[in-house]
Amino acid sequence: MPYEHILVAVDLTEECDPVIKRARELAGPSNAKVSLVHIVEPMAMAFGGDVPMDLSQLQQQQFDQAKERMDRLFNKYPEINRGDSHLTYGQPRQEIHQLAKDQHCDLIVVGSHGRHGLALLLGSTANDVLHGAPCDVLAVRLQKKAD
């Protein structure tokens, strides 16, 4: 059965190109809709939630940078509709799962640095998204860049 709506979780680095390309390949034969999602994690979560300073300005700068990078992706992949894509704050796993449910996605595509099996993925976004996902999940293996 072909996919109808593919949600692509992007980290907004150049590494997300193979992930988007793979989603487009899968979408092609059935002309499935492809949506991008990027989740900006609240800075307080990164610091354990108890930060003795106001991070709102830094958080806004982080969000603005993510928006600029997302815009560059739309310029690079004009066939992906901006209106179907999402940039939001939150915990990646929860936000991606909720969005996949709300948008009736039947496939989530994520990048993975999977070294040797799922055991080494523990704690990664790809592994988090896999568990409890409301639909199929495809982890696209990302090649390590040569130094």
Side-chain angles (χ1 to χ4, degrees):
M1 194 166 83
Y3 293 110
E4 295 178 14
H5 190 177
I6 301 172
L7 181 63
V8 185
V10 293
D11 65 0
L12 301 179
T13 66
E14 286 183 18
E15 285 188 334
C16 71
D17 282 334
V19 180
I20 295 170
K21 287 176 182 169
R22 184 70 178 119
R24 288 174 52 219
E25 288 170 10
L26 289 168
S30 63
N31 203 25
K33 179 168 36 170
V34 175
S35 300
L36 301 182
V37 60
H38 178 74
I39 311 300
V40 177
E41 288 190 74
M43 287 186 155
M45 285 175 67
F47 294 109
D50 192 22
V51 184
M53 64 176 93
D54 181 13
L55 295 174
S56 59
Q57 189 173 1
L58 283 174
Q59 188 78 64
Q60 187 59 49
Q61 287 175 347
Q62 185 183 25
F63 194 83
D64 292 344
Q65 287 175 346
K67 188 175 180 328
E68 287 174 20
R69 289 183 183 146
M70 197 83 144
D71 286 341
R72 284 196 291 262
L73 280 180
F74 291 125
N75 291 333
K76 193 172 190 175
Y77 300 101
E79 69 281 2
I80 297 175
N81 186 345
R82 290 176 190 254
D84 294 328
S85 298
H86 309 274
L87 177 62
T88 188
Y89 286 111
Q91 197 277 333
R93 175 188 161 190
Q94 292 171 346
E95 296 297 327
I96 292 167
H97 285 180
Q98 191 61 51
L99 190 58
K101 283 181 201 164
D102 293 347
Q103 300 294 314
H104 308 290
C105 298
D106 44 9
L107 177 65
I108 299 169
V109 181
V110 294
S112 171
H113 289 97
R115 307 292 191 286
H116 294 93
L118 283 177
L120 292 178
L121 279 174
L122 292 175
S124 72
T125 300
N127 192 56
D128 279 353
V129 170
L130 177 65
H131 294 288
C135 59
D136 292 351
V137 177
L138 172 65
V140 176
R141 185 175 178 138
L142 300 175
Q143 298 300 318
K144 212 175 179 185
K145 294 234 187 231
D147 292 328

